[in-house]
């Protein structure tokens, strides 16, 4: 979503003073009400057990995920909150628009900075070389295409073909870079896609097709599909218009071997954005749509997209990417929602009255039968649990030391959104852990080896930058007091010798590398066996 979304407006108004703390019917209700049809196991409804942190960690004092009023305005939140993760290296710059990537290749990361460009020293996609994790450094700013100047959430890489692509947010420009030398991308193509209004995107598993979602609101909308068989000459394939359910906000495609008998790149897992409980209008209803895109993958004439199944839910909103993972050889999707009940009309108290989670959270969805996907686990933090809704909506004034701070701050300051945005498995085809960006709750890591009993094992919440000058930050507003930072990024798992790192960006703190502590690694070695690169 863009930074002027319904989420920002409603959450700000609701939290400024009191918080400062149908193609196929929905299966979500029946899935969570009883046992899983194929296994007989009872789905997990959350919240997930809290992580056991190390003795020297700087930990949260409130609900799991929450930054309390006291933490925010005492200055305590200016220091990062960490649990079993420690900072290794960082490049702050002037901040980042953390939804704009990052994408990764080799020792490099790529992310956008499209907020207030008039005040930035450097525009365009930032290229960071982290060959030395303790001292990541910028090697280039891609400012030679309109797409790289405002890429929003389209920044993607395909390492095997050495490709970096970006699409212009709300515009028609589309650019392809060669990243054979990851630190110094070279422009290969800069073309116009006549029907594009870029928003989010993803590569097909073979790297020869790029699916680009659009920024239109309301039911319907288009999917723009780009043929990258010749990266120097990108070609727009016939666009597809959704006249009913199916329009993606975020999307992913099935990798090779994900589902037996299903060819790679022929299934598109769409996160269709709606508002929690249908209170408001986006593309609605909110949830998962599984689509057959074989016609596009196989370059058939007059291609069509066919809806295979849908799975909608009413307790969250603004679904994004649906991420395929295999756990113990079984196929699942990890759902993502960047809003909860607080994003719907009426704000916090109305969400509490409806019995909803205030914030979006991941879910684990069994897709062994793609025609009947089933939710088997809700990865709620305590801050997302409906049982804790009133506790956040009605914080006593004394907890603020009188009138709640921030009353006279500009719009978009002093607000909170603990919703999750993206998740990445340590090894997508043999997942043991999941690292998820939870916006103002930071990066949270879960043990998902038993998907019916997920648990939190680590977190890292970057420190608040308060009124620091960060014009490249997606959260920055002149004069605003940022008492929390925002992480909406794709996280990267990276092995460095015997250590395991997580790479990510946050709005105020820029590019960061954190590492699991030696103590945690020593006591949890089985988690890291067979992990990815």
């Amino acid at each position: 979503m863009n930074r002027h979304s319904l989420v920002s407006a409603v959450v700000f108004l609701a939290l400024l003073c009191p918080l400062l703390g149908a193609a196929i019917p929905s299966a979500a209700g029946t899935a969570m009400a009883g046992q899983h049809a194929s296994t007989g196991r009872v789905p997990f409804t959350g919240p997930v057990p809290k992580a056991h942190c190390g003795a020297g960690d700087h930990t949260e004092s409130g609900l799991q995920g929450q930054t309390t009023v006291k933490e925010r305005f005492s200055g305590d939140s200016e220091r990062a909150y960490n649990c079993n993760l420690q900072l290794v290296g960082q490049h702050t710059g002037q901040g980042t628009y953390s939804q704009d990537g990052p994408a990764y290749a080799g020792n490099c990361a790529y992310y956008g900075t499209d907020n207030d460009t008039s005040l930035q020293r450097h525009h365009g996609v930032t290229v960071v070389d982290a060959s030395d994790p303790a001292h990541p450094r910028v090697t280039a700013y891609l400012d030679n295409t309109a797409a790289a100047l405002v890429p929003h959430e389209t920044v993607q890489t395909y390492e095997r073909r050495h490709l970096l692509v970006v699409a212009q947010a709300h515009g028609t420009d589309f650019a392809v870079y060669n990243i054979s030398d990851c630190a110094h991308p070279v422009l290969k193509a800069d073309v116009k896609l006549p029907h594009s209004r870029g928003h989010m995107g993803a590569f097909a598993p073979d790297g020869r097709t790029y699916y680009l979602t659009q920024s239109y609101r309301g039911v319907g909308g288009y999917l723009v599909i780009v043929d990258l068989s010749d990266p120097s000459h990108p070609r727009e394939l016939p666009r597809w218009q959704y006249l009913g359910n199916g329009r993606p906000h975020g999307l992913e495609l099935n990798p090779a071997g994900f589902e037996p008998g299903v060819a790679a790149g022929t299934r598109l897992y769409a996160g269709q954005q709606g508002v929690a409980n249908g209170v408001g209008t986006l593309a609605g209803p909110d949830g998962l749509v599984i689509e057959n895109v074989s016609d596009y993958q196989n370059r058939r004439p007059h291609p069509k997209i066919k809806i295979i199944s849908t799975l909608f839910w009413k307790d969250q909103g603004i679904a994004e990417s649906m991420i395929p993972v295999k756990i113990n050889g079984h196929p699942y999707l990890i759902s993502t929602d960047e809003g909860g009940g607080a994003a719907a009309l009426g704000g916090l108290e109305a969400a509490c009255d409806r019995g909803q989670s205030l914030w979006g959270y991941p879910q684990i969805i069994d897709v062994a039968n793609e025609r009947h996907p089933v939710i088997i686990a809700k990865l709620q933090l305590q801050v997302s649990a409906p049982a804790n809704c009133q506790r956040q909506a009605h914080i006593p004034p004394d907890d603020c030391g009188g009138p709640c701070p921030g009353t006279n701050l500009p719009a978009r300051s002093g607000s909170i959104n603990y919703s999750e945005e993206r998740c990445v498995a340590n090894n997508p085809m043999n997942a043991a852990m999941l690292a998820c960006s939870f916006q103002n709750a930071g990066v949270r890591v879960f043990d998902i080896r038993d998907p019916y009993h997920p648990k939190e094992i680590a977190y890292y919440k970057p420190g608040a930058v308060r009124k620091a000058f960060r014009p490249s930050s997606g959260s920055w507003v002149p004069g605003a007091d940022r008492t929390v930072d925002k992480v909406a990024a794709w996280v990267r798992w990276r092995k460095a010798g015997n250590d395991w790192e997580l790479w990510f960006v946050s709005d105020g703190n820029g590019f960061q590398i954190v590492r699991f502590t030696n103590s945690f690694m020593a006591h949890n070695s089985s988690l890291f066996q067979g992990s990815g690169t």
Side-chain angles (χ1 to χ4, degrees), residues 229-490:
S229 300
D230 179 357
S232 297
H233 299 92
R235 181 172 63 92
E236 184 178 343
L237 298 173
R239 62 175 175 164
W240 182 256
Q241 182 177 20
Y242 295 94
L243 299 177
N245 291 321
R247 177 201 154 190
H249 176 197
L251 60 87
E252 297 293 326
L253 290 105
N254 64 313
F258 183 64
E259 294 182 74
V262 179
T266 62
R267 297 295 185 267
L268 186 151
Y269 305 118
Q272 177 173 279
Q273 63 175 353
V275 178
N277 206 42
V279 184
T281 58
L282 283 172
D286 189 67
L288 164 68
V289 183
I290 300 179
E291 309 176 17
N292 186 330
V293 292
S294 300
D295 286 2
Y296 284 97
Q297 174 66 16
N298 297 319
R299 300 294 189 267
R300 293 180 182 133
H302 314 295
K304 295 182 179 180
I305 293 177
K306 304 174 184 68
I307 305 300
I308 294 173
S309 62
T310 65
L311 177 64
F312 300 130
W313 42 84
K314 294 184 178 181
D315 59 335
Q316 303 190 71
I318 319 178
E320 280 207 340
S321 302
M322 301 288 156
I323 299 134
V325 302
K326 294 189 84 168
I327 306 172
N328 301 320
H330 196 93
Y332 299 93
L333 296 177
I334 308 300
S335 72
T336 65
D337 276 84
E338 63 174 335
L345 299 179
L348 273 71
E349 293 191 26
C352 294
D353 291 342
R354 292 191 295 266
Q356 293 176 307
S357 167
L358 290 176
W359 321 111
Y361 53 86
Q363 300 175 122
I364 302 177
I365 303 173
D366 187 333
V367 290
N369 183 345
E370 65 177 8
R371 295 189 177 277
H372 299 283
V374 179
I375 298 169
I376 66 159
K378 294 174 177 281
L379 276 65
Q380 292 180 346
L381 304 177
Q382 288 179 345
V383 77
S384 300
N388 294 319
C389 190
Q390 292 289 352
R391 180 171 171 179
Q392 298 171 75
H394 301 289
I395 292 181
D398 287 347
D399 286 1
C400 307
C404 293
T407 303
N408 297 316
L409 295 177
R412 296 179 59 235
S413 67
S415 60
I416 287 282
N417 187 347
Y418 295 119
S419 299
E420 168 261 357
E421 188 107 6
R422 284 96 186 251
C423 291
V424 180
N426 63 314
N427 182 345
M429 294 300 284
N430 186 22
M433 294 175 285
L434 200 63
C436 300
S437 55
F438 272 80
Q439 299 194 37
N440 297 137
V443 174
R444 321 294 296 203
V445 186
F446 304 96
D447 178 348
I448 58 169
R449 288 174 295 180
D450 179 353
Y452 286 86
H453 296 93
K455 58 184 179 181
E456 183 184 57
I457 56 174
Y459 62 78
Y460 189 88
K461 293 166 65 174
V465 299
R466 305 300 296 262
K467 296 184 179 181
F469 182 68
R470 298 283 192 272
S472 298
S473 162
S475 301
W476 186 76
V477 176
D481 185 357
R482 283 303 183 194
T483 58
V484 289
D485 201 4
K486 177 181 178 181
V487 184
W490 292 105

Side-chain angles (χ1 to χ4, degrees), residues 190-215:
D190 183 18
V191 300
K192 303 300 181 185
L193 304 177
H195 303 110
S196 178
R197 285 175 56 83
H199 191 83
M200 299 184 72
F203 275 101
D206 61 7
R208 298 183 181 279
T209 312
Y210 185 82
Y211 291 83
L212 178 60
T213 73
Q214 305 299 284
S215 56

Side-chain angles (χ1 to χ4, degrees), residues 515-532:
R515 180 176 295 164
F516 288 94
T517 62
N518 291 336
S519 175
F520 180 80
M521 291 279 293
H523 289 91
N524 296 274
S525 58
S526 62
L527 274 169
F528 297 90
Q529 295 175 1
S531 292

Side-chain angles (χ1 to χ4, degrees), residues 2-165:
N2 63 46
R3 50 187 171 273
H4 302 296
S5 67
L6 179 64
V7 176
S8 296
V10 174
V11 171
F12 164 70
L13 292 172
L15 291 176
L16 186 56
C17 180
L19 173 58
L20 296 175
I24 298 175
S26 169
T30 55
M32 298 307 298
Q35 296 183 334
H36 187 287
S38 61
T39 66
R41 301 183 70 182
V42 177
F44 178 82
T45 58
V48 296
K50 296 175 67 173
H52 298 289
C53 304
D57 292 340
H58 181 220
T59 57
E60 304 163 329
S61 65
L63 295 170
Q64 179 190 31
Q66 183 183 30
T67 304
T68 67
V69 173
K70 182 177 179 180
E71 288 171 340
R72 295 177 72 194
F73 290 98
S74 68
D76 191 66
S77 68
E78 295 171 32
R79 177 184 167 199
Y81 294 101
N82 69 301
C83 175
N84 300 323
L85 290 167
Q86 57 191 12
L87 185 67
V88 174
Q90 179 174 359
H91 171 76
T92 302
Q94 292 188 307
T96 72
Y97 196 86
S98 68
Q99 288 170 287
D100 293 5
Y104 306 99
N107 293 314
C108 300
Y110 311 90
Y111 56 84
T113 55
D114 46 313
N115 188 9
D116 192 332
T117 57
S118 65
L119 297 174
Q120 293 176 21
R121 288 194 302 271
H122 304 286
H123 299 170
V125 170
T126 302
V127 181
V128 172
D129 183 345
S131 301
D132 178 357
H135 302 95
R137 61 188 182 90
V138 174
T139 55
Y141 296 96
L142 305 182
D143 58 3
N144 55 349
T145 63
L149 290 173
V150 282
H152 197 49
E153 297 168 285
T154 67
V155 183
Q156 296 282 334
T157 55
Y158 191 84
E159 284 200 75
R160 280 183 288 169
R161 301 186 71 206
H162 309 297
L163 299 180
L164 165 69
V165 301

